[in-house]
Amino acid sequence: MKTLIRNGHIVTAVDSYNADILIDGSTVVLIGKDLEKIAGALDKTINATDKLVIPGGIDPHTHMDLPFGGTSSSDDFETGTRAAAFGGTTTIIDFAVQYHGQSLNQALDVWFAKAEGKAAVDYGFHMIVTDLPDQRLPELKGLIDQGVSSFKLFMAYPGVFLVDHGTIFKAMTSAGESGGLICMHAENGIVIDVLVKRALAEGRTAPKYHALTRPTRAEAEGVHRAIAIAEMANSPVYIVHLSCYDALKEVQAARDLGLPAYAETCPQYLFLDYSYYERDGFEGAKYVMTPPLRDKSNQEQLWNGLRGNDLQVISTDHCPFCFKEQKELGRNDFSKIPNGGPGVEHRMSLIYEGGVVQKRISVNRFVELTSTAAAKIFGLFPRKGTIAVSSDADSVIFRPNRDQTISAQPDHIRVDYSAYEGRKVRGVVDTVLSRGAVIVEDGVFKGKAGDGQFLRRGTV
Ligand SMILES: [Zn+2]
């Protein structure tokens, strides 16, 4: 299968130029001018005149088919990766979960089974580690050798995911030695637990108390502690879903000292804010996620962090739960509302609008934040995250001047509300290729469940 993308404006993290891209099979084989003359017989030609051609998006933080709070996230690997494809994301890194008593490999097998035959785009896994006695430490290296080179540890959710500091230190030491990366959910979950119990005892049960019991200081303190432990363990650390200026300042301070501290933020923290919890009735439950939405004043600070590279990645933490029956589990108790929201489909367009159209970042930085940096940090570069000869032909043809309004009913995510309902954004995904195959064209899904491949990631 030979495909030519003609006359697009190619944008990578470092380049912007007009050229043709010749794809043979699953990879890019030639980039240049007027390739039609030398390409030979073509199976497909895509005219990209006046459009951008960017690397397929990489979302390194999704939760498809995740059991949480007595229910499961409403997207599985089939619906979730299809929604990702529509939004121009051609790679996800999802989180497998090790439960108490399980080996890391047993846990990985469960998530392989969830994704196999279902994923429509390529996928990798991080491993959430909850049980790490010393005899299991070698399993970390074992997973890295299988291409699962990053692990997530929690400082929150005592009794479910939280691990103690000794475990964090040992995991960071072991992973660091083997080229692995520890991703931290950084919050002071012990203090938060007390705040939650107090609020409930005082009869404060509405969704907004989810936010009011998780202060920004709890996140900042967790970030500070995670980075300090990583420094002692001589290991890099990656802070997931950083939501506020208080926490960002901790990352900035560490990076100013030259420490290998990385962090991602998510569209919800750039576009939504605490006022959503004050909406009538139980509406605020739609926005119950952790960390919670913050005061609006944090948003511009996060954009500054993205511009100045104190934040390197924008992921979604896509973890949808339907309002009916799922979010409603917490109608009388905010702590029972499943944590998470939908996001995987609109990340690229939202960030293009908020970043490039609103003149906060360059178009190259947009590509870096939505694709290239994640590929580099998580061991996928240069196979993913750029447009270059020999790289996978994961390409998005993007209309930079076309507007869209995000609808109330999500088109492709399997959930019954949209977190970005009614928002107008400039920048629309037109055509999406995954390893050379067109998977979205003219608003129609042309991929297939099961075509997504597991990605063995390298070390960092
Ligand atoms: Zn998450």
Side-chain angles (χ1 to χ4, degrees), residues 61-63 95 152 154 185 240-241 290 317-319:
H61 192 151
T62 65
H63 299 283
F95 290 85
K152 184 179 179 188
F154 283 79
H185 178 124
V240 295
H241 51 45
T290 299
D317 197 6
H318 178 79
C319 191

Side-chain angles (χ1 to χ4, degrees), residues 289-309:
M289 54 189 69
T290 299
L293 302 178
R294 304 298 194 181
D295 184 84
K296 201 170 176 55
S297 61
N298 289 279
Q299 293 175 355
E300 217 47 50
Q301 298 292 351
L302 294 177
W303 281 111
N304 284 341
L306 291 165
R307 189 164 46 231
N309 203 36

Side-chain angles (χ1 to χ4, degrees), residues 114-438:
K114 285 175 190 264
E116 225 174 86
K118 287 194 158 186
V121 302
D122 290 352
Y123 58 94
F125 289 117
H126 315 276
M127 177 60 69
I128 290 175
V129 178
T130 62
D131 183 17
L132 197 66
D134 285 352
Q135 66 270 22
R136 279 210 198 291
L137 282 169
E139 294 180 17
L140 291 173
K141 169 99 171 59
L143 247 66
I144 293 170
D145 293 340
Q146 294 170 71
V148 177
S149 51
S150 46
F151 307 88
K152 184 179 179 188
L153 301 175
F154 283 79
M155 292 173 152
Y157 303 119
V160 185
F161 291 131
L162 182 140
V163 289
D164 64 52
H165 297 147
T167 301
I168 293 170
F169 179 68
K170 283 187 267 188
M172 283 179 169
T173 309
S174 291
E177 279 167 0
S178 307
L181 181 61
I182 300 294
C183 305
M184 285 300 308
H185 178 124
E187 268 190 319
N188 193 320
I190 301 291
V191 171
I192 287 167
D193 207 36
V194 175
L195 291 172
V196 168
K197 286 188 174 126
R198 263 190 211 163
L200 290 172
E202 290 162 3
R204 301 175 201 276
T205 60
K208 69 176 180 184
Y209 292 104
H210 171 75
L212 296 174
T213 54
R214 306 187 96 91
T216 58
R217 295 307 298 161
E219 184 182 348
E221 189 277 332
V223 170
H224 181 89
R225 190 154 31 105
I227 293 172
I229 298 173
E231 189 180 0
M232 290 187 274
N234 198 22
S235 130
V237 63
Y238 180 95
I239 308 295
V240 295
H241 51 45
L242 188 139
S243 73
C244 60
Y245 185 41
D246 268 351
L248 174 61
K249 281 187 281 190
E250 298 292 343
V251 177
Q252 277 167 339
R255 291 179 64 83
D256 286 349
L257 293 171
L259 296 173
Y262 307 98
E264 63 178 22
T265 190
C266 314
Q268 54 269 34
Y269 305 119
L270 297 166
F271 292 91
L272 311 177
D273 64 76
Y274 173 78
S275 66
Y276 285 72
Y277 296 119
E278 300 276 7
R279 291 186 169 184
D280 288 347
F282 193 58
E283 278 291 287
K286 293 177 178 174
Y287 305 95
V288 167
M289 54 189 69
T290 299
L293 302 178
R294 304 298 194 181
D295 184 84
K296 201 170 176 55
S297 61
N298 289 279
Q299 293 175 355
E300 217 47 50
Q301 298 292 351
L302 294 177
W303 281 111
N304 284 341
L306 291 165
R307 189 164 46 231
N309 203 36
D310 286 316
L311 298 170
Q312 296 76 38
V313 172
I314 300 173
S315 69
T316 61
D317 197 6
H318 178 79
C319 191
F321 295 97
C322 289
F323 186 68
K324 281 199 184 353
E325 290 179 13
Q326 293 195 299
K327 291 287 188 181
E328 281 180 341
L329 290 168
R331 224 175 228 291
N332 303 312
D333 176 348
F334 69 87
S335 73
K336 295 200 167 65
I337 301 170
N339 287 193
V344 77
E345 186 171 355
H346 295 115
R347 182 183 64 130
M348 303 288 278
S349 288
L350 283 167
I351 300 307
Y352 187 82
E353 164 68 33
V356 182
V357 177
Q358 302 296 330
K359 299 194 181 340
R360 293 185 175 105
I361 54 172
S362 71
V363 68
N364 304 98
R365 182 67 178 152
F366 159 71
V367 169
E368 193 166 28
L369 289 167
T370 55
S371 180
T372 316
K376 288 182 175 174
I377 290 171
F378 292 109
L380 290 168
F381 190 82
R383 179 178 171 192
K384 306 287 190 190
T386 193
I387 294 176
V389 170
S390 299
S391 291
D392 280 358
D394 293 354
S395 307
V396 174
I397 294 148
F398 191 82
R399 291 174 173 265
N401 298 317
R402 178 169 287 199
D403 295 342
Q404 62 173 321
T405 303
I406 297 174
S407 61
Q409 283 303 315
D411 299 323
H412 306 107
I413 297 171
R414 189 161 66 189
V415 71
D416 58 1
Y417 71 97
S418 167
Y420 300 97
E421 175 183 342
R423 191 173 292 269
K424 284 194 179 62
V425 293
R426 174 156 297 179
V428 174
V429 170
D430 181 293
T431 305
V432 181
L433 290 88
S434 166
R435 275 181 285 101
V438 171

Side-chain angles (χ1 to χ4, degrees), residues 433-452:
L433 290 88
S434 166
R435 275 181 285 101
V438 171
I439 58 170
V440 174
E441 192 172 37
D442 300 326
V444 178
F445 180 65
K446 305 223 163 148
K448 215 167 77 246
D451 278 358

